[in-house]
Amino acid sequence: MPTGLFPRERRTVAPGAVHVPGWLSAERQRELVVACREWARGPVPLRHTELPGGGVMSVRTVCLGWHWRPYRYVRTADDVNGARVADFPRWLAELGRAAVAEAYEDETAGRAYAPDAGLVNFYDATARMGMHQDREELSGAPVVSLSIGDTCVFRFGNTEDRGRPWTDVELESGDLFVFGGPSRFAFHGVPKVYPGTAGPDTGMRAGRLNLTLRETGLDDR
């Protein structure tokens, strides 16, 4: 369990995979929480995603720009209420570009990043995310992950299968994690959330929010 006794330093977990602790200020975290609450109301509300085999994901998700359903992107949430998902905000794309520039310490890489889809996942105390790859995107651009609220164990694996080797990273509120390049298609998941570890400055009473920004490479025009 996280203790906060030692300073946390930025870390390259694998080639192209970078953890930047405390990247989001408390003010920015609160702004994102307010935005997530608004998105959760719709037009496509926060929901448990149904899997093709009949299972249901324990996290609850709302999508921006493109609606993700296993295992593809569409514009309308035909598996929920048939509505078109909320637009992907320009300000969130700017935040994504800043995140890539920070993680890779490369302003050029940041400017080149053009995210057009966002998945907002809410974890309660019992929610988990199994090991998986993000493979539905046509673009090989990095995935940006932002954490707010309770601390979790983020398991970052290899590109071959769900097994070892993997590295467990504790993601706390405000942390940034970016994975691209050789690690873009690494398996990853969340085996544990630590309830009650979020500070009051986040604006959340309980649980964990994870915002992941992606560049889909799709065009439906």
Side-chain angles (χ1 to χ4, degrees):
M1 178 151 179
T3 64
L5 294 177
F6 304 103
R8 299 183 305 139
E9 304 293 338
R10 64 180 294 138
R11 176 186 178 193
T12 299
V13 176
V18 182
H19 175 212
V20 184
W23 185 66
L24 293 170
S25 68
E27 180 180 8
R28 178 48 68 93
Q29 290 178 61
R30 289 192 296 270
E31 291 171 351
L32 286 168
V33 169
V34 170
C36 288
R37 285 176 176 151
E38 184 63 30
W39 295 325
R41 297 186 184 101
V44 180
L46 194 72
R47 95 289 186 192
H48 291 282
T49 301
E50 295 185 12
L51 299 171
V56 177
M57 294 178 66
S58 59
V59 302
R60 286 181 281 169
T61 304
V62 64
C63 300
L64 307 170
W66 291 87
H67 180 72
W68 180 83
R69 57 182 300 185
Y71 292 96
R72 61 194 176 101
Y73 287 104
V74 291
R75 289 295 194 187
T76 56
D78 296 330
D79 59 331
V80 184
N81 61 4
R84 184 182 174 96
V85 297
D87 291 339
F88 187 82
R90 183 176 299 177
W91 63 263
L92 193 57
E94 291 294 336
L95 184 63
R97 282 189 275 274
V100 169
E102 173 67 31
Y104 294 151
E105 301 179 296
D106 185 340
E107 294 293 334
T108 300
R111 287 192 296 271
Y113 189 54
D116 60 337
L119 271 66
V120 181
N121 291 320
F122 175 74
Y123 293 74
D124 63 20
T126 62
R128 305 290 183 265
M129 181 75 74
M131 295 292 279
H132 66 282
Q133 293 172 300
D134 295 339
R135 295 197 65 93
E136 291 74 46
E137 301 80 22
L138 299 182
S139 169
V143 173
V144 169
S145 173
L146 302 169
S147 296
I148 305 174
D150 286 339
T151 298
C152 80
V153 174
F154 180 62
R155 180 161 291 169
F156 196 76
N158 63 84
T159 59
E160 301 301 320
D161 55 44
R162 293 178 173 82
R164 295 181 183 272
W166 63 55
T167 301
D168 284 348
V169 181
E170 286 186 348
L171 296 182
E172 299 184 10
S173 194
D175 284 6
L176 164 67
F177 197 98
V178 175
F179 57 99
S183 293
R184 172 59 179 80
F185 298 108
F187 284 87
H188 55 283
V190 175
K192 185 175 182 61
V193 174
Y194 296 106
T197 51
D201 290 345
T202 64
M204 292 181 61
R205 291 183 293 274
R208 173 182 184 254
L209 281 173
N210 175 230
L211 287 77
T212 64
L213 313 184
R214 296 107 180 273
E215 186 178 304
T216 67
L218 299 170
D219 188 347
D220 61 354
R221 290 178 295 178

Short mmCIF file of all heavy atoms in Angstrom, two decimals, residues 39 42-45 62-67 74-78 80-88 116 220-221:
data_model
loop_
_atom_site.label_atom_id
_atom_site.label_comp_id
_atom_site.label_asym_id
_atom_site.label_seq_id
_atom_site.Cartn_x
_atom_site.Cartn_y
_atom_site.Cartn_z
N TRP A 39 -19.65 14.82 -18.43
CA TRP A 39 -19.67 13.80 -19.49
C TRP A 39 -20.44 12.57 -19.06
O TRP A 39 -21.10 11.92 -19.89
CB TRP A 39 -18.23 13.41 -19.86
CG TRP A 39 -17.43 14.52 -20.47
CD1 TRP A 39 -17.90 15.51 -21.30
CD2 TRP A 39 -16.03 14.77 -20.30
NE1 TRP A 39 -16.87 16.35 -21.65
CE2 TRP A 39 -15.71 15.92 -21.06
CE3 TRP A 39 -15.01 14.13 -19.59
CZ2 TRP A 39 -14.42 16.44 -21.12
CZ3 TRP A 39 -13.73 14.64 -19.64
CH2 TRP A 39 -13.44 15.78 -20.41
N GLY A 42 -24.13 12.26 -20.02
CA GLY A 42 -24.55 12.02 -21.39
C GLY A 42 -24.02 13.08 -22.33
O GLY A 42 -23.28 13.96 -21.91
N PRO A 43 -24.37 12.96 -23.63
CA PRO A 43 -25.51 12.23 -24.19
C PRO A 43 -25.48 10.72 -24.06
O PRO A 43 -26.52 10.06 -24.09
CB PRO A 43 -25.48 12.64 -25.67
CG PRO A 43 -24.06 13.01 -25.93
CD PRO A 43 -23.57 13.64 -24.66
N VAL A 44 -24.29 10.12 -23.94
CA VAL A 44 -24.19 8.69 -23.64
C VAL A 44 -23.66 8.58 -22.22
O VAL A 44 -22.54 8.98 -21.94
CB VAL A 44 -23.24 7.97 -24.62
CG1 VAL A 44 -23.17 6.49 -24.27
CG2 VAL A 44 -23.71 8.17 -26.05
N PRO A 45 -24.45 8.07 -21.29
CA PRO A 45 -24.06 8.11 -19.88
C PRO A 45 -23.00 7.08 -19.54
O PRO A 45 -22.71 6.14 -20.29
CB PRO A 45 -25.37 7.80 -19.16
CG PRO A 45 -26.13 6.94 -20.13
CD PRO A 45 -25.79 7.49 -21.49
N VAL A 62 -17.27 6.17 -19.85
CA VAL A 62 -17.94 7.10 -20.78
C VAL A 62 -16.89 7.52 -21.80
O VAL A 62 -15.71 7.64 -21.48
CB VAL A 62 -18.53 8.32 -20.03
CG1 VAL A 62 -17.46 9.18 -19.39
CG2 VAL A 62 -19.40 9.15 -20.97
N CYS A 63 -17.33 7.69 -23.05
CA CYS A 63 -16.40 7.94 -24.15
C CYS A 63 -16.60 9.33 -24.74
O CYS A 63 -17.70 9.89 -24.69
CB CYS A 63 -16.61 6.90 -25.26
SG CYS A 63 -16.37 5.20 -24.72
N LEU A 64 -15.53 9.84 -25.32
CA LEU A 64 -15.53 11.15 -25.98
C LEU A 64 -14.99 10.98 -27.39
O LEU A 64 -14.03 10.25 -27.61
CB LEU A 64 -14.65 12.14 -25.21
CG LEU A 64 -14.91 12.31 -23.72
CD1 LEU A 64 -13.80 13.14 -23.10
CD2 LEU A 64 -16.26 12.96 -23.49
N GLY A 65 -15.59 11.68 -28.34
CA GLY A 65 -15.10 11.66 -29.71
C GLY A 65 -15.54 10.44 -30.48
O GLY A 65 -16.24 10.54 -31.48
N TRP A 66 -15.12 9.29 -30.02
CA TRP A 66 -15.52 8.01 -30.57
C TRP A 66 -16.02 7.14 -29.43
O TRP A 66 -15.48 7.18 -28.32
CB TRP A 66 -14.36 7.30 -31.26
CG TRP A 66 -13.90 7.94 -32.54
CD1 TRP A 66 -12.98 8.93 -32.69
CD2 TRP A 66 -14.34 7.61 -33.86
NE1 TRP A 66 -12.82 9.25 -34.01
CE2 TRP A 66 -13.63 8.44 -34.76
CE3 TRP A 66 -15.25 6.67 -34.38
CZ2 TRP A 66 -13.82 8.38 -36.15
CZ3 TRP A 66 -15.43 6.60 -35.75
CH2 TRP A 66 -14.72 7.45 -36.62
N HIS A 67 -17.03 6.32 -29.70
CA HIS A 67 -17.55 5.39 -28.71
C HIS A 67 -16.83 4.06 -28.85
O HIS A 67 -16.84 3.45 -29.91
CB HIS A 67 -19.05 5.20 -28.93
CG HIS A 67 -19.69 4.26 -27.95
ND1 HIS A 67 -19.89 4.60 -26.63
CD2 HIS A 67 -20.18 3.00 -28.10
CE1 HIS A 67 -20.49 3.59 -26.01
NE2 HIS A 67 -20.65 2.61 -26.88
N VAL A 74 -16.97 3.42 -32.80
CA VAL A 74 -18.09 3.91 -33.60
C VAL A 74 -18.47 5.29 -33.09
O VAL A 74 -18.07 5.70 -32.00
CB VAL A 74 -19.29 2.95 -33.54
CG1 VAL A 74 -18.99 1.63 -34.24
CG2 VAL A 74 -19.70 2.69 -32.09
N ARG A 75 -19.25 6.01 -33.87
CA ARG A 75 -19.67 7.35 -33.44
C ARG A 75 -20.89 7.32 -32.53
O ARG A 75 -21.05 8.18 -31.66
CB ARG A 75 -19.98 8.22 -34.66
CG ARG A 75 -18.76 8.64 -35.47
CD ARG A 75 -17.84 9.55 -34.71
NE ARG A 75 -16.88 10.20 -35.59
CZ ARG A 75 -15.86 10.94 -35.18
NH1 ARG A 75 -15.64 11.10 -33.89
NH2 ARG A 75 -15.03 11.50 -36.05
N THR A 76 -21.77 6.34 -32.73
CA THR A 76 -23.00 6.29 -31.94
C THR A 76 -22.98 5.07 -31.02
O THR A 76 -22.49 4.00 -31.40
CB THR A 76 -24.24 6.24 -32.84
OG1 THR A 76 -24.13 5.12 -33.72
CG2 THR A 76 -24.37 7.52 -33.64
N ALA A 77 -23.54 5.24 -29.85
CA ALA A 77 -23.52 4.18 -28.83
C ALA A 77 -24.74 3.29 -28.99
O ALA A 77 -25.69 3.34 -28.19
CB ALA A 77 -23.47 4.80 -27.44
N ASP A 78 -24.73 2.46 -30.02
CA ASP A 78 -25.87 1.60 -30.28
C ASP A 78 -26.05 0.53 -29.20
O ASP A 78 -27.13 -0.05 -29.08
CB ASP A 78 -25.72 0.94 -31.65
CG ASP A 78 -25.73 1.97 -32.77
OD1 ASP A 78 -26.37 3.02 -32.62
OD2 ASP A 78 -25.07 1.72 -33.81
N VAL A 80 -25.83 1.25 -26.05
CA VAL A 80 -26.30 1.93 -24.84
C VAL A 80 -27.66 2.59 -25.10
O VAL A 80 -28.70 2.09 -24.66
CB VAL A 80 -25.28 2.99 -24.35
CG1 VAL A 80 -25.75 3.63 -23.04
CG2 VAL A 80 -23.91 2.37 -24.15
N ASN A 81 -27.65 3.71 -25.82
CA ASN A 81 -28.91 4.42 -26.08
C ASN A 81 -29.03 4.94 -27.51
O ASN A 81 -29.98 5.66 -27.82
CB ASN A 81 -29.10 5.57 -25.09
CG ASN A 81 -27.98 6.60 -25.19
OD1 ASN A 81 -27.10 6.50 -26.04
ND2 ASN A 81 -28.01 7.60 -24.30
N GLY A 82 -28.07 4.60 -28.36
CA GLY A 82 -28.13 5.02 -29.75
C GLY A 82 -27.70 6.44 -30.03
O GLY A 82 -27.71 6.88 -31.18
N ALA A 83 -27.29 7.17 -28.99
CA ALA A 83 -26.91 8.57 -29.15
C ALA A 83 -25.46 8.69 -29.64
O ALA A 83 -24.65 7.77 -29.46
CB ALA A 83 -27.07 9.33 -27.85
N ARG A 84 -25.17 9.81 -30.29
CA ARG A 84 -23.80 10.11 -30.67
C ARG A 84 -23.05 10.56 -29.42
O ARG A 84 -23.57 11.35 -28.62
CB ARG A 84 -23.77 11.20 -31.73
CG ARG A 84 -22.37 11.51 -32.27
CD ARG A 84 -22.43 12.64 -33.29
NE ARG A 84 -21.10 13.06 -33.72
CZ ARG A 84 -20.48 12.64 -34.81
NH1 ARG A 84 -21.10 11.78 -35.61
NH2 ARG A 84 -19.28 13.07 -35.13
N VAL A 85 -21.82 10.11 -29.28
CA VAL A 85 -21.05 10.46 -28.09
C VAL A 85 -20.68 11.94 -28.11
O VAL A 85 -20.69 12.59 -29.15
CB VAL A 85 -19.78 9.60 -27.96
CG1 VAL A 85 -20.13 8.15 -27.79
CG2 VAL A 85 -18.86 9.81 -29.15
N ALA A 86 -20.33 12.46 -26.93
CA ALA A 86 -19.90 13.86 -26.82
C ALA A 86 -18.64 14.09 -27.63
O ALA A 86 -17.81 13.19 -27.79
CB ALA A 86 -19.66 14.20 -25.35
N ASP A 87 -18.51 15.29 -28.15
CA ASP A 87 -17.32 15.64 -28.92
C ASP A 87 -16.08 15.58 -28.03
O ASP A 87 -16.15 15.78 -26.81
CB ASP A 87 -17.46 17.05 -29.49
CG ASP A 87 -18.51 17.13 -30.59
OD1 ASP A 87 -18.85 16.09 -31.19
OD2 ASP A 87 -19.01 18.26 -30.84
N PHE A 88 -14.95 15.32 -28.67
CA PHE A 88 -13.67 15.34 -27.97
C PHE A 88 -13.21 16.79 -27.90
O PHE A 88 -12.98 17.43 -28.93
CB PHE A 88 -12.64 14.50 -28.73
CG PHE A 88 -11.34 14.32 -28.00
CD1 PHE A 88 -11.20 13.37 -27.02
CD2 PHE A 88 -10.25 15.12 -28.31
CE1 PHE A 88 -9.99 13.20 -26.34
CE2 PHE A 88 -9.04 14.96 -27.64
CZ PHE A 88 -8.92 14.00 -26.65
N ASP A 116 -8.03 12.08 -30.67
CA ASP A 116 -9.42 12.37 -31.08
C ASP A 116 -10.43 11.50 -30.34
O ASP A 116 -11.62 11.53 -30.64
CB ASP A 116 -9.58 12.21 -32.59
CG ASP A 116 -9.26 10.80 -33.08
OD1 ASP A 116 -8.52 10.08 -32.39
OD2 ASP A 116 -9.76 10.42 -34.15
N ASP A 220 -14.57 9.24 -40.43
CA ASP A 220 -15.87 8.76 -40.93
C ASP A 220 -16.54 9.74 -41.89
O ASP A 220 -17.73 9.64 -42.15
CB ASP A 220 -16.80 8.45 -39.77
CG ASP A 220 -17.08 9.66 -38.90
OD1 ASP A 220 -16.47 10.72 -39.12
OD2 ASP A 220 -17.93 9.55 -37.98
N ARG A 221 -15.77 10.71 -42.38
CA ARG A 221 -16.38 11.67 -43.30
C ARG A 221 -16.67 11.04 -44.65
O ARG A 221 -15.93 10.16 -45.09
CB ARG A 221 -15.45 12.88 -43.49
CG ARG A 221 -15.35 13.74 -42.23
CD ARG A 221 -14.40 14.89 -42.42
NE ARG A 221 -13.03 14.38 -42.62
CZ ARG A 221 -11.97 15.18 -42.84
NH1 ARG A 221 -12.13 16.47 -42.91
NH2 ARG A 221 -10.77 14.66 -42.99
#
